Amino acid sequence: RGRLGLPQDDIVLTFLGSIWWGKNVGTIVRAFSRMAAAHPRARLLVAGEAWGRRWYNQLLVRSLRARIAARGCLDRVTWIDEYLSDERARDVISASDVVLLPHAQRYGSASGVFHDAIGAGRAVVCSRGPKFEDAIRLLADLPEALVAPRDVSAWENAMGKMVADASLRERVRRAVGDYAVATSW
C-alpha cells in the first residue's frame, strides 16, 4: 500500500484490468459513489488503462472520473491509468482487500485477474455470467459475492457488505482457497 500511496487502514475495493464497456467498470463506480458515505473506510482502486487507448474507451474513463468527482468522493478513489507491469499488478492485488470483477461479457473465457486475486488470498465479488462459471460454483453458498452484472444497487449492497464484514471477506477467501491451490501455476 505504501508503494501505491494507499492508506493502511482503509478497506480497498479494486478493479484491475483494461477498461472498456464489457468490463462494466461504470457499474462499480456508480455503486461506490452511492455507498461511500455510509462506509468511510472504503476506498476504490481502479487500475488499468483504457483498452487499446481507443478514444471511446478514454472517453469512458474520463466520464467515470467525472462521475466520482461530481459525487464528492474523488478523495476516496485512486486511479492508476496505465498498463500495469506484472510487478505493479502484484502490488495492486496485494494492496487490495476485495477484487471486483463486474464483467458484463456474454461469453465465457478465463479471467487471469480472478486467478491472480484468489491465488493471493484476496476476497472477490464477481458478476454472474459465463465469464465466472468457476466462481459461481465455488461461491454458491455466498450470494453476497455474486452479483448481476449491471445491477448497481446489488453491487452497492455487495461492496458495502464486504467493507463492513471482515468475516464475510474471510469466508469468501476460504471458499476459493482450495481452487486457488489446485489451479496454481
Side-chain angles (χ1 to χ4, degrees):
R1 287 191 179 191
R3 282 197 290 269
L4 298 173
L6 296 172
Q8 296 298 320
D9 295 333
D10 283 359
I11 304 298
V12 179
L13 306 164
T14 300
F15 171 85
L16 170 63
S18 298
I19 300 172
W20 61 283
W21 180 83
K23 293 287 181 90
N24 199 29
V25 181
T27 295
I28 61 170
V29 165
R30 286 189 298 276
F32 183 82
S33 69
R34 288 168 39 172
M35 57 82 69
H39 299 280
R41 290 185 54 222
R43 171 167 290 277
L44 180 63
L45 170 59
V46 179
E49 72 180 355
W51 182 74
R53 303 306 272 169
R54 290 183 169 82
W55 68 268
Y56 46 86
N57 292 326
Q58 292 176 2
L59 182 62
L60 172 62
V61 170
R62 283 194 300 273
S63 71
L64 296 175
R65 292 177 104 158
R67 177 180 294 273
I68 288 290
R71 292 299 295 246
C73 53
L74 194 58
D75 62 327
R76 306 251 312 278
V77 178
T78 300
W79 290 85
I80 301 173
D81 186 17
E82 63 188 51
Y83 176 81
L84 300 177
S85 67
D86 289 343
E87 180 180 340
R88 187 97 158 137
R90 283 191 297 271
D91 284 348
V92 166
I93 290 173
S94 294
S96 304
D97 293 292
V98 181
V99 175
L100 306 172
L101 300 151
H103 304 52
Q105 295 166 249
R106 293 188 176 133
Y107 54 88
S109 64
S111 171
V113 174
F114 171 71
H115 285 279
D116 287 344
I118 66 172
R122 298 301 177 250
V124 294
V125 177
C126 299
S127 58
R128 290 185 178 275
K131 178 90 171 166
F132 298 109
E133 287 180 6
D134 293 339
I136 291 168
R137 181 177 41 78
L138 296 165
L139 298 169
D141 294 333
L142 293 160
E144 303 91 340
L146 298 167
V147 184
R150 298 207 185 271
D151 186 338
V152 176
S153 295
W155 277 95
E156 176 186 3
N157 188 38
M159 292 162 64
K161 285 181 179 180
M162 285 291 182
V163 169
D165 189 348
S167 69
L168 174 60
R169 293 191 304 272
E170 182 57 31
R171 289 193 312 275
V172 170
R173 282 193 289 265
R174 282 196 316 263
V176 296
D178 289 341
Y179 186 69
V181 171
T183 59
S184 173
W185 304 341

